[in-house]
C-alpha cells in the first residue's frame, strides 16, 4: 500500500502542477474533479458565465488521455444525438448500430440544463448502469466512463430543471466562484499568450485510471465513521429524530442512499490523495457539501426564505458528534 500511495501522490502532484499552467486558481475545483474521477463518479459544475467551466473540463480531459467528446446541449437536441441510432445497411439487408458520442470515456455535457427531459433520459441508463439500449439491445460502455456537465444558474429562458433522478446520479455538484484580484491579473497575462493550451501533456491513461480507482478499496474506514456518515444522511431525512427540528420545515426530501455510498467512496479517495491509507472525519467533511447539496430537496418554505441546501448541510454537520 505504501508503494501505491507514493505513486498516487506523485501522479496527483504532476496533475496539479500541470493544471496550474492553464487553470489559474480553482485548485479546489480541480482537486474535487480528480477525487470524483478516482472515485468513479460523474460531476456537475455550476457557475456564472465566463468562469471557465467548459474550459476546465475540456483541458483537464487532455491530462487523462482518454477518448473525449463534447455535446452542446440545446432545446432541439434529440436522444439519438447522444446515444446514436440504428442504420439500415442495404448491402447486408439489416440494421446496424450507429454509436453516438456517449460511447466515449469522457463526455462533456455542456450547458446540460438547456435540453428537455426526454433528452436527459438518454443519460440515465448510461450514468447509472454504464450501458445503453439501442435498437432493443444493450451495449456496454467502455470504462472508465464519466459525464462531466456544466450549467448556468442565472439563465432561465430556454432552460429546464434537471430531473431529480438524474441529479442523484452525479457524484458531485461543484460550485465555481469568481477568481481573486491577483488570479484575474494572471488570467489576463496567460490569455495574452497564443495557444497556451497546446502543450498540455497527458499524465494518466485508461489503465492507470482503473488501477487508481481500485486502489481506493484498500483504504481503511472505521465502522464509527460509517456510522457518522449514515447519521449525516439520516439527519437530512428525519431532522426531528436527530435534534435539529428547526430545519425540518425546510426539507421536502432528504438525501438518497447514493449519498451514503458516495460519501464513503469519496472519503477514501480523499484520504488516498492526501497520502493516507485510512479515513479521517475531515475527509468526510471536505466532500460532504458537494455530495449532499443536490440531493436535499428544499420545501417551499425554505425557498420563500432564501434558505439554501448549504445552510441545511452546515446545520447537520454542526449537530453531529464526530467519532
Amino acid at each position: 500500500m505504501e508503494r501505491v500511495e507514493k505513486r498516487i501522490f506523485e501522479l496527483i502532484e504532476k496533475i496539479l502542477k500541470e493544471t496550474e499552467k492553464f487553470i489559474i486558481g480553482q485548485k479546489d475545483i480541480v482537486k474535487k474533479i480528480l477525487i470524483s474521477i478516482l472515485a468513479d463518479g460523474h460531476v456537475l459544475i455550476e457557475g456564472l458565465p465566463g468562469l471557465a467551466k467548459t474550459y476546465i473540463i475540456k483541458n483537464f480531459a487532455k491530462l487523462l488521455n482518454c477518448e473525449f467528446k463534447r455535446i452542446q446541449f440545446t432545446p432541439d437536441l434529440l436522444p439519438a444525438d447522444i446515444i446514436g441510432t440504428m442504420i439500415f445497411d442495404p448491402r447486408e439487408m439489416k440494421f446496424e448500430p450507429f454509436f453516438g458520442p456517449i460511447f466515449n470515456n469522457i463526455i462533456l455535457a455542456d450547458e446540460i440544463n438547456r435540453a428537455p427531459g426526454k433528452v436527459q433520459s438518454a443519460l440515465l441508463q448510461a450514468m447509472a448502469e454504464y450501458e445503453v439500449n439501442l435498437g432493443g439491445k444493450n451495449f456496454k460502455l467502455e470504462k472508465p466512463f464519466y459525464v462531466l456537465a456544466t450549467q448556468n444558474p442565472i439563465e432561465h429562458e430556454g432552460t429546464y430543471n434537471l430531473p431529480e433522478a438524474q441529479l442523484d446520479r452525479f457524484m458531485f455538484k461543484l460550485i465555481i466562484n469568481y477568481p481573486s484580484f491577483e488570479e484575474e491579473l494572471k488570467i489576463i497575462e496567460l490569455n495574452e499568450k497564443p495557444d497556451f493550451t497546446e502543450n498540455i501533456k497527458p499524465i494518466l491513461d485508461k489503465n492507470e485510471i482503473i488501477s487508481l480507482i481500485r486502489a481506493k478499496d484498500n483504504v481503511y474506514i472505521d465502522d464509527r465513521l460509517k456510522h457518522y456518515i449514515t447519521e449525516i444522511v439520516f439527519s437530512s431525512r428525519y431532522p426531528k429524530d436527530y435534534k435539529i427540528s428547526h430545519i425540518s420545515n425546510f426539507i421536502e426530501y432528504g438525501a438518497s442512499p447514493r449519498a451514503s455510498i458516495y460519501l464513503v467512496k469519496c472519503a477514501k479517495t480523499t484520504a488516498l490523495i492526501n497520502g493516507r491509507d485510512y479515513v479521517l472525519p475531515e475527509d468526510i467533511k471536505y466532500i460532504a457539501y458537494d455530495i449532499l447539496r443536490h440531493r436535499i430537496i428544499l420545501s417551499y418554505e425554505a425557498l420563500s426564505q432564501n434558505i439554501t441546501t448549504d445552510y441545511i448541510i452546515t446545520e447537520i454537520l454542526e449537530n453531529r458528534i464526530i467519532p
Side-chain angles (χ1 to χ4, degrees):
M1 184 65 187
E2 183 179 348
R3 185 176 64 184
V4 174
E5 281 182 0
K6 184 179 179 182
R7 180 166 166 269
I8 290 173
F9 187 75
E10 289 173 351
L11 284 171
I12 299 305
E13 287 295 304
K14 283 180 68 176
I15 290 171
L16 295 178
K17 187 175 180 180
E18 191 68 22
T19 56
E20 287 176 359
K21 295 179 181 179
F22 60 91
I23 300 174
I24 304 300
Q26 308 299 351
K27 288 184 178 180
D28 195 54
I29 295 290
V30 170
K31 185 176 180 181
K32 286 179 177 176
I33 291 174
L34 196 55
I35 288 171
S36 70
I37 285 170
L38 300 186
D40 201 19
H42 312 291
V43 183
L44 175 64
I45 302 180
E46 181 175 281
L48 298 172
L51 294 184
K53 302 181 295 297
T54 301
Y55 170 84
I56 289 173
I57 294 172
K58 184 179 177 181
N59 289 292
F60 192 86
K62 292 181 181 179
L63 299 176
L64 305 182
N65 200 25
C66 292
E67 294 176 8
F68 169 80
K69 280 291 184 294
R70 171 181 174 176
I71 306 172
Q72 187 67 50
F73 278 63
T74 56
D76 61 346
L77 197 71
L78 296 173
D81 296 326
I82 297 175
I83 65 174
T85 188
M86 301 296 288
I87 302 293
F88 184 72
D89 185 350
R91 292 171 298 182
E92 299 292 331
M93 296 299 291
K94 63 178 182 180
F95 285 91
E96 295 288 347
F98 177 80
F99 297 123
I102 197 75
F103 288 89
N104 285 274
N105 300 117
I106 301 173
I107 306 301
L108 166 53
D110 208 9
E111 297 186 274
I112 191 171
N113 57 330
R114 288 195 174 277
K118 69 176 181 179
V119 178
Q120 303 298 343
S121 66
L123 291 172
L124 293 178
Q125 185 182 16
M127 291 175 69
E129 301 168 33
Y130 299 95
E131 63 182 21
V132 170
N133 186 287
L134 197 58
K137 296 181 180 179
N138 283 339
F139 294 90
K140 292 287 184 182
L141 296 172
E142 181 188 3
K143 284 196 172 186
F145 172 75
Y146 306 104
V147 174
L148 306 180
T150 69
Q151 73 174 9
N152 181 341
I154 61 171
E155 289 189 32
H156 300 289
E157 187 173 350
T159 63
Y160 303 83
N161 291 328
L162 295 184
E164 280 73 14
Q166 184 180 2
L167 280 173
D168 199 42
R169 283 162 167 77
F170 284 103
M171 181 173 279
F172 280 170
K173 180 181 179 182
L174 304 178
I175 306 298
I176 189 168
N177 295 309
Y178 287 120
S180 68
F181 189 90
E182 291 75 17
E183 288 168 349
E184 191 137 351
L185 285 175
K186 291 179 181 178
I187 290 170
I188 294 171
E189 293 172 2
L190 185 63
N191 278 270
E192 289 179 331
K193 301 175 183 178
D195 303 325
F196 62 89
T197 61
E198 291 295 320
N199 297 321
I200 297 174
K201 300 176 181 178
I203 294 175
L204 300 178
D205 58 32
K206 297 177 189 178
N207 293 330
E208 284 181 312
I209 293 171
I210 291 171
S211 67
L212 292 177
I213 289 171
R214 291 172 180 164
K216 79 175 183 309
D217 296 333
N218 296 320
V219 175
Y220 173 75
I221 179 168
D222 193 83
D223 286 342
R224 289 175 296 174
L225 290 180
K226 292 178 184 177
H227 190 273
Y228 176 57
I229 285 172
T230 308
E231 277 199 344
I232 290 172
V233 174
F234 267 66
S235 296
S236 73
R237 300 176 194 167
Y238 315 109
K240 291 181 180 179
D241 295 345
Y242 289 87
K243 300 179 181 179
I244 44 175
S245 57
H246 62 284
I247 65 170
S248 61
N249 291 337
F250 300 144
I251 302 173
E252 190 73 25
Y253 299 103
S256 73
R258 276 200 185 101
S260 302
I261 295 168
Y262 289 163
L263 280 166
V264 172
K265 283 185 177 182
C266 292
K268 285 185 173 185
T269 307
T270 303
L272 202 60
I273 283 179
N274 290 326
R276 283 181 278 104
D277 61 354
Y278 56 91
V279 174
L280 294 175
E282 288 74 16
D283 299 321
I284 298 168
K285 285 190 170 185
Y286 180 68
I287 42 86
Y289 287 87
D290 308 297
I291 289 176
L292 294 172
R293 67 163 54 101
H294 55 301
R295 292 186 165 85
I296 297 174
I297 310 301
L298 298 176
S299 66
Y300 176 78
E301 185 175 345
L303 296 173
S304 65
Q305 297 183 37
N306 293 322
I307 299 294
T308 64
T309 51
D310 281 21
Y311 166 79
I312 300 293
I313 298 165
T314 298
E315 292 298 299
I316 289 172
L317 293 177
E318 288 183 352
N319 283 276
R320 298 272 53 81
I321 298 174
I322 298 174

